[in-house]
Amino acid sequence: LTNNIIKKDGTSISDENIKTLIADFFKNYTLKMDIVNGAKDSLNKLSRYYNIIILSNIPHEFYVQRKKALKKNSINYLFISNNGNKGEAVRKITANNTQKCWFIDDSPFQIMSVKKEAPEVETIHLVTNKRLLELMQDEHKISTLQNWKELEKLIISKTKK
């Protein structure tokens, strides 16, 4: 996030302040975060075909709170906290797998990390927040889905082939 969070005066927030802001955000909102519209239903439907693993870059110290928030919303899948690029973690998770695997993320950098480290894994860039989508610059030229229903249909259509 270095140089990507800008104050009203046009100057960027220091890395130290960004870390504090992020820690404060997770401390105050992890248990209150809403589930993205359609995520729960689509995950439930996709779980009929696949094992679901949630790999998140939430800071490790907020793992328990996030797990509670997911459980409160009846999202009961394996949850793993990660730090940094997700490609290596996905490669390790899928190392002995012989079935089709999907990786879904809202960060094009994480998509590219998985494409590099685990090329056999199908990737989907999903951004449901329109404001975030407008801010993203897609230098990787990857296609982006904008809702869970669209994602669900795509995966199921490719599963049934």
Side-chain angles (χ1 to χ4, degrees):
L1 296 175
T2 300
N3 296 322
N4 286 310
I5 301 178
I6 309 298
K7 295 186 247 179
K8 289 181 181 181
D9 68 5
T11 61
S12 60
I13 296 175
S14 72
D15 284 347
E16 185 176 312
N17 286 341
I18 288 173
K19 288 177 186 176
T20 301
L21 287 170
I22 290 172
D24 287 348
F25 173 82
F26 283 114
K27 180 180 175 185
N28 293 309
Y29 294 102
T30 297
L31 289 171
K32 300 174 190 176
M33 284 187 223
D34 291 329
I35 300 302
V36 173
N37 188 31
K40 180 179 168 181
D41 290 339
S42 290
L43 288 171
N44 285 338
K45 287 178 185 165
L46 291 170
S47 72
R48 296 177 195 157
Y49 304 95
Y50 297 96
N51 293 316
I52 307 291
I53 300 171
I54 299 171
L55 178 64
S56 173
N57 272 357
I58 190 166
H60 299 306
E61 64 264 29
F62 301 107
Y63 171 88
V64 172
Q65 286 178 283
R66 186 62 177 149
K67 184 76 175 157
K68 284 180 186 177
L70 291 168
K71 188 173 182 174
K72 178 181 81 173
N73 287 284
S74 301
I75 296 181
N76 299 307
Y77 303 107
L78 178 60
F79 178 68
I80 301 171
S81 66
N82 184 65
N83 185 19
N85 290 335
K86 294 180 180 176
E88 183 179 354
V90 170
R91 181 174 43 77
K92 289 177 180 178
I93 290 167
T94 61
N96 296 315
N97 183 60
T98 58
Q99 303 298 315
K100 186 173 205 109
C101 292
W102 297 87
F103 174 78
I104 303 152
D105 206 282
D106 63 355
S107 166
F109 302 105
Q110 297 298 0
I111 296 293
M112 296 312 295
S113 172
V114 170
K115 283 181 178 289
K116 179 182 176 190
E117 295 288 334
E120 69 286 353
V121 174
E122 297 278 345
T123 59
I124 297 177
H125 186 228
L126 175 69
V127 182
T128 60
N129 183 310
K130 291 186 188 319
R131 289 187 316 180
L132 177 60
L133 186 59
E134 289 171 5
L135 292 172
M136 287 185 173
Q137 297 175 356
D138 185 12
E139 67 247 19
H140 303 295
K141 305 295 182 222
I142 57 176
S143 61
T144 302
L145 299 181
Q146 295 182 38
N147 67 68
W148 277 91
K149 195 66 175 168
E150 193 178 18
L151 176 137
E152 174 192 324
K153 287 179 184 177
L154 174 68
I155 291 176
I156 289 173
S157 74
K158 290 191 175 200
T159 300
K160 293 185 174 182
K161 288 183 178 179

